[in-house]
Amino acid sequence: MPPPPKAVWRDRILTARRELSAARRRIEDTALATVASTLAPAGSVVCAYVPVGSEPGSIALLDALTEAGTTVLVPVTRTGEPLSWARYMGEKTLMAADFGLREPGGEIFPPEAVAKAHTVLVPALAVDARGVRLGRGAGFYDRTLHLASPEAVIIAVVRDEELVDELPEDPHDIRMGWALTPGKGLVRLGSGDRAEQHTP
């Protein structure tokens, strides 16, 4: 029996996230930040994201990556285009942007900057055991991740309950090699391509 449509998954997951208590969220965000600090070697580049709304993670995750000695790039969004990037220099440098996001001021790097990343942390509503990611449907990461290095560690960041057996998949979807969850830590996904190429 095929999995439910993406719209059903999105509604189900967003409802569960809205019902999450503030205390549980703080515990999960702390756990994610602790693991994130170990994901990439000092001196490397990590492409991450600025969590907003009910997305897993917090500014503490970005700060942990910075304190571990990595250069952290976060997305700059333009409708219909691949993600551009800007360097994360602390929460005080973030400004309100389109789509309810927050983005750094300062120099903007082209989409191809993701090719320099050792690790790419990707926000997701869910990811399955094969590496199929469910996003919000805007397609930003589908237009961007093909620019990443073949050896980059591509990680979907989700809550424990959002790592599932099977999600619906479209031909343009780019699979993740790993999942990062608060309780399970870093979990390898799939059996081919990126999942087999690199172990953090």
Side-chain angles (χ1 to χ4, degrees), residues 19-65:
E19 294 173 352
L20 192 66
S21 71
R24 175 74 180 275
R25 184 180 299 281
R26 284 193 296 271
I27 291 170
E28 293 188 354
D29 289 349
T30 298
L32 290 171
T34 298
V35 178
S37 67
T38 69
L39 294 178
S44 64
V45 174
V46 176
C47 287
Y49 63 96
V50 180
V52 294
S54 62
E55 288 181 330
S58 66
I59 292 297
L61 186 152
L62 299 177
D63 290 339
L65 287 166

Side-chain angles (χ1 to χ4, degrees), residues 129-131 150-154 175-178 187-200:
R130 302 170 298 161
E151 299 198 356
V153 183
I154 310 295
R175 292 192 181 190
M176 307 287 101
W178 304 83
V187 179
R188 174 172 280 194
L189 305 172
S191 59
D193 296 334
R194 296 182 185 277
E196 291 297 327
Q197 288 175 358
H198 193 95
T199 301

Side-chain angles (χ1 to χ4, degrees), residues 2 6 26 38 44 50 54 79 99 114 118-119 121 128 138 147 159 177 180 184 186 189 199:
K6 288 185 175 183
R26 284 193 296 271
T38 69
S44 64
V50 180
S54 62
T79 301
F99 310 105
V114 71
H118 172 280
T119 299
L121 295 176
D128 74 15
L147 298 170
R159 302 183 58 243
L180 176 61
K184 298 174 183 177
L186 193 63
L189 305 172
T199 301

Side-chain angles (χ1 to χ4, degrees), residues 12 26 29 59 66 95 115 127 135 159 167 172 181 190 196:
R12 182 185 303 168
R26 284 193 296 271
D29 289 349
I59 292 297
T66 301
M95 302 179 294
V127 67
R159 302 183 58 243
L167 291 166
H172 63 265
T181 84
E196 291 297 327

Side-chain angles (χ1 to χ4, degrees), residues 73 76 83-87 107-113:
L73 302 181
V76 175
L83 295 169
S84 296
W85 304 91
R87 186 169 182 177
E107 184 178 3
I108 297 176
F109 304 105
E112 290 77 13

Side-chain angles (χ1 to χ4, degrees), residues 88-95:
Y88 173 72
M89 301 292 287
E91 185 172 15
K92 292 182 179 179
T93 68
L94 299 176
M95 302 179 294

